[in-house]
Amino acid sequence: MWTVITAVAVVLFCAAVVFGATRLFIGDASGDVTDTPEHTVSAFLGSLLDDRDAEAAAAWLCTDKADRDLGSAVAAMADAADRGFEWGEVAETGRTVGAATVTAEIGIDGGASPATWAFTLVAEEGDPQWLICGIAAG
C-alpha cells in the first residue's frame, strides 16, 4: 500500500516539475504584456473624447492623477457637442526604463490645425501596465 502511495506521489511531483519547466522555458502566451504606451494614450483619448466617459478615462491615469475629476472636462465637451473632437497620430517619441513619452494630434472638427499633445507615462504593476502621469498641450 505504501509503495503505491509513494509511486503516485513521485509521478505527481515529476508531472509538476515538467509543467513548471515548460511554463518557465517555453512561456505562457496569456502572460505576455500586450499593453503599450500608445495603446494607453489611445484608450484614454477614446474614453475621454469619443465616449466622454470620465470614469473610464480616469482608469488610464497613474495613481497620483487617478483621483482627478474629469467630469468637468466632459461637461465642457458636452457644451461643444455641435463640434466633435478628433485625435490621431498617436506615436511613442521616447522611452526609458519604466517611463515613456507619447504624442498625439488633437483638434476640433472643422477647426484650425490640430495641436500636438505630449503624454508622459510610467510603467506600473497591474493592468493596464502603462499609465498617464502628465499631459502637456502644445
Side-chain angles (χ1 to χ4, degrees), residues 20-39:
T22 302
R23 287 187 54 127
L24 180 64
F25 291 112
I26 296 175
D28 180 14
S30 66
D32 290 344
V33 175
T34 57
D35 193 16
T36 64
E38 294 96 337
H39 173 258

Side-chain angles (χ1 to χ4, degrees), residues 45-131:
L45 292 174
S47 296
L48 188 64
L49 301 179
D50 294 341
D51 302 336
R52 297 185 181 173
D53 184 348
E55 187 174 318
W60 297 99
L61 299 176
C62 67
T63 307
D64 294 343
K65 309 291 184 208
D67 62 351
R68 288 202 171 163
D69 180 21
L70 297 174
S72 58
V74 170
M77 287 186 285
D79 291 341
D82 57 330
R83 299 174 72 182
F85 289 89
E86 57 186 27
W87 57 275
E89 298 185 40
V90 176
E92 183 176 323
T93 57
R95 188 184 297 200
T96 61
V97 177
T101 305
V102 174
T103 59
E105 300 292 321
I106 300 174
I108 298 176
D109 290 341
S113 61
T116 301
W117 287 34
F119 298 84
T120 54
L121 296 93
V122 296
E124 293 186 359
E125 290 288 328
D127 184 33
Q129 179 186 13
W130 289 98
L131 297 172

